[in-house]
Amino acid sequence: MTNKYESENIGTYLKGELSGDSLKEFERKLQYDKSLQEEVELEKNAQALTKVFGRSHLKARLNDFEEMPQQKVRIVPLLRKITSIAAAILLITLAGYVVLDFEKKPLKTEAIFEEYFEPYRAPISIRSSTTNANQLWTSASEQYALKNFEAAAHSFGEYLKITDSASYLAHFYLGASLLAQKNPKPAVAIAAFSKVLENDNDYQQQAKWHIGLAYLKLGERDAAIAIFEEISESKSYKQEAANKIIKALK
Amino acid sequence: MTQKYSDIEIIEGIKTGGIQEERFLKFLYQKNKTAVIDLILKNKGSLEEAKDVYQDAIVALYENIKASKYRGESAIGSYLYSIARFIWLNRLKRKSIEQKVLDIQRPTEVQMSHLNKILEKEQEQKIIAIFQSLGEQCKEVLVYSIYYEYSMKEIFEKMDYKNEQVVRNKKSKCMKQLKKMIELQPEILKLLKS
């Protein structure tokens, strides 16, 4: 039976990343230790099987680039509602900083927001061929990691301007920065997160969750319930938390 | 699609891998599709076959980039086109062999060549079923770490685990499960093609 140290070394050995004395020692043991030989063979086979499965997995991902997947049919009608509500709120806010009076339990929704919101993990650096963009992204990421969310929001906004891109990641983190600020800007955050929902990517579920939280912050109880019910039904990211929030709101 | 990428950016983006490779894959896929689909349609292929060949070509290109077998020596569109052409020619060759076999009317050989096609699809479905039986989380952790070569950090971010150590533990458990399946059903290894 191989020990834990050897088990960990098997993966490293198969990747060709074992070197020096560790490699010599491993190969020496491999020559006479039948149990280690079997473990290495098993690991090789498991990895090979995973790689074959990986091809099917990648082909399925490529299908998503063809057309909207079925579940998006459910998102689109809600997306229109979100976009139109976000646009309306944004207009009113920009026109003169009018405080909207939401009739349904603003204090309770705010309390739920406080309970469930936490700043999303800091982004990883993304390479870009444009030096300015790269610097802006790095700066934005660093500010976010340091919890300087106002500065991060500004940098993500600038990044989006100069790359002129539909970068879902930048929109997501712009929204995340706006929501994590000392004085959150949930309406603008919703607009940013809505951009993430426009195309298929890895952050859609997180964006939806944050839109729900932003509605809580705004006191938009019904809109928040609608989003969290979607999350609950799709059995996706934060499903359990969504269920608890729905119970608390109803 | 507003963002455009150069060949170098695509190669670099896919080679780097991780969460951000998605946008390069998507751009690559959408940009080069028409030329390949046209090739197949003009050469006795159906739309379904064309899409299947194109996706196989993209998978082959993806793996070649990851393995540094393709580094941008030729334009990515041309390289992809030639992979697709190669795949399609092979399929046509197989089809014409089957046609000749049908003409000669040797039922056993006809059955065998059709059986091979069905077997390939079945093998693929069996492998998918194996991984489905591991559960969604295991399936994703294994494929993202071993096939896509995501780091533990990237998997932790993508799949919303608590931290990297949790991902490491999960991967270890899932690998143990997969290995157990292989030990209990060694015929699974026949699904691996050389």
Side-chain angles (χ1 to χ4, degrees):
Chain A
M1 183 73 120
T2 52
N3 58 41
K4 191 186 176 205
Y5 171 76
E6 280 160 356
S7 291
E8 283 170 1
N9 268 345
I10 290 172
T12 318
Y13 169 72
L14 288 174
K15 271 195 227 174
E17 289 172 2
L18 214 52
S19 60
D21 289 338
S22 302
L23 176 62
K24 281 188 190 144
E25 176 60 24
F26 190 89
E27 284 179 333
R28 187 188 65 81
K29 256 206 139 171
L30 199 56
Q31 279 181 349
Y32 67 82
D33 188 337
K34 277 222 176 323
S35 143
L36 183 61
Q37 287 168 10
E38 283 168 6
E39 281 284 338
V40 169
E41 194 59 26
L42 198 50
E43 177 81 21
K44 251 195 227 171
N45 288 330
Q47 286 195 17
L49 212 56
T50 308
K51 284 176 183 174
V52 172
F53 172 69
R55 290 186 190 119
S56 305
H57 192 274
L58 178 54
K59 278 182 87 168
R61 280 176 73 191
L62 296 177
N63 269 330
D64 292 343
F65 300 151
E66 289 268 6
E67 66 212 8
M68 304 278 270
Q70 274 196 344
Q71 57 262 37
K72 283 230 174 150
V73 172
R74 298 174 66 197
I75 292 170
V76 169
L78 184 61
L79 176 62
R80 283 200 200 113
K81 185 179 172 185
I82 291 165
T83 313
S84 59
I85 292 173
I89 293 169
L90 196 55
L91 268 171
I92 293 167
T93 310
L94 289 170
Y97 310 103
V98 175
V99 177
L100 293 167
D101 182 21
F102 299 101
E103 43 180 310
K104 300 197 176 159
K105 305 179 186 177
L107 289 175
K108 185 174 181 179
T109 57
E110 181 127 5
I112 296 172
F113 171 84
E114 294 301 334
E115 188 184 340
Y116 283 93
F117 175 78
E118 53 184 7
Y120 197 74
R121 292 183 293 273
I124 55 173
S125 291
I126 290 180
R127 285 193 211 176
S128 167
S129 63
T130 311
T131 312
N132 278 347
N134 196 24
Q135 285 173 351
L136 269 170
W137 183 268
T138 305
S139 166
S141 305
E142 284 170 357
Q143 294 296 340
Y144 190 97
L146 291 169
K147 300 191 191 314
N148 297 333
F149 296 115
E150 287 81 2
H154 173 78
S155 295
F156 283 123
E158 290 300 306
Y159 173 85
L160 281 165
K161 274 185 209 164
I162 80 166
T163 54
D164 188 27
S165 75
S167 167
Y168 63 85
L169 207 57
H171 279 111
F172 177 81
Y173 277 102
L174 172 59
S177 305
L178 290 165
L179 213 50
Q181 291 174 6
K182 212 173 172 180
N183 296 310
K185 295 176 175 56
V188 190
I190 288 172
F193 288 128
S194 299
K195 283 293 204 181
V196 180
L197 296 184
E198 281 178 6
N199 294 299
D200 187 41
N201 57 69
D202 293 327
Y203 278 73
Q204 284 198 324
Q205 293 177 14
Q206 290 89 331
K208 227 196 273 189
W209 166 254
H210 282 84
I211 288 173
L213 291 176
Y215 276 129
L216 286 173
K217 186 66 183 168
L218 282 169
E220 277 268 27
R221 179 182 165 277
D222 289 345
I225 289 176
I227 291 272
F228 291 124
E229 277 176 347
E230 274 248 344
I231 293 171
S232 175
E233 279 162 23
S234 63
K235 296 191 189 355
S236 59
Y237 178 82
K238 297 283 189 185
Q239 185 208 4
E240 227 178 276
N243 289 340
K244 288 179 184 167
I245 291 175
I246 292 165
K247 263 192 194 151
L249 286 171
K250 281 190 172 173
Chain B
M1 194 175 47
T2 52
Q3 182 74 41
K4 291 181 181 180
Y5 302 103
S6 66
D7 283 4
I8 294 172
E9 284 171 334
I10 294 168
I11 294 167
E12 199 179 314
I14 291 175
K15 189 104 179 99
T16 305
I19 293 167
Q20 54 83 47
E21 77 177 359
E22 174 109 356
R23 58 187 171 143
F24 297 106
L25 262 174
K26 187 174 181 178
F27 176 78
L28 172 71
Y29 187 85
Q30 291 176 346
K31 187 186 175 205
N32 296 286
K33 193 180 159 198
T34 309
V36 171
I37 299 290
D38 279 351
L39 165 74
I40 311 300
L41 290 177
K42 282 173 185 163
N43 286 278
K44 304 176 192 173
S46 67
L47 190 57
E48 198 185 322
E49 284 170 322
K51 190 180 143 187
D52 195 56
V53 167
Y54 184 57
Q55 289 184 347
D56 280 345
I58 292 275
V59 170
L61 171 62
Y62 178 85
E63 292 184 0
N64 282 353
I65 290 175
K66 286 284 200 196
S68 299
K69 286 180 184 171
Y70 169 73
R71 294 178 198 182
E73 298 85 350
S74 56
I76 211 170
S78 310
Y79 186 72
L80 185 58
Y81 188 88
S82 58
I83 295 175
R85 190 168 165 274
F86 178 79
I87 293 171
W88 183 237
L89 282 175
N90 269 338
R91 289 193 192 184
L92 279 177
K93 233 186 247 175
R94 245 194 336 205
K95 271 192 187 183
S96 76
I97 289 170
E98 284 172 13
Q99 190 57 51
K100 281 184 190 153
V101 166
L102 271 168
D103 290 345
I104 298 167
Q105 289 189 19
R106 289 180 192 164
T108 319
E109 287 172 20
V110 167
Q111 285 164 13
M112 281 307 293
S113 70
H114 279 286
L115 192 57
N116 282 337
K117 254 198 212 160
I118 295 166
L119 279 176
E120 267 176 30
K121 219 42 193 169
E122 269 185 11
Q123 280 168 346
E124 191 187 337
Q125 290 307 313
K126 276 185 186 163
I127 291 176
I128 293 172
I130 287 165
F131 280 84
Q132 300 283 40
S133 72
L134 291 174
E136 191 66 23
Q137 284 195 334
C138 271
K139 186 184 84 177
E140 298 288 288
V141 163
L142 289 177
V143 83
Y144 275 104
S145 70
I146 294 170
Y147 183 72
Y148 296 113
E149 297 176 353
Y150 276 36
S151 67
M152 290 295 118
K153 188 178 180 202
E154 284 161 340
I155 297 173
F156 141 63
E157 289 186 4
K158 179 176 176 58
M159 294 177 68
D160 198 35
Y161 282 100
K162 217 171 177 179
N163 54 51
E164 289 175 49
Q165 192 53 47
V166 171
V167 180
R168 239 175 242 113
N169 294 343
K170 184 74 182 177
K171 181 188 170 185
S172 175
K173 269 191 197 145
C174 296
M175 268 306 252
K176 274 197 183 120
Q177 261 182 268
L178 179 59
K179 286 174 187 176
K180 192 92 194 170
M181 284 180 79
I182 294 171
E183 279 180 316
L184 292 171
Q185 304 169 73
E187 65 272 16
I188 286 174
L189 297 178
K190 290 179 191 164
L191 298 170
L192 291 171
K193 284 187 205 171
S194 57

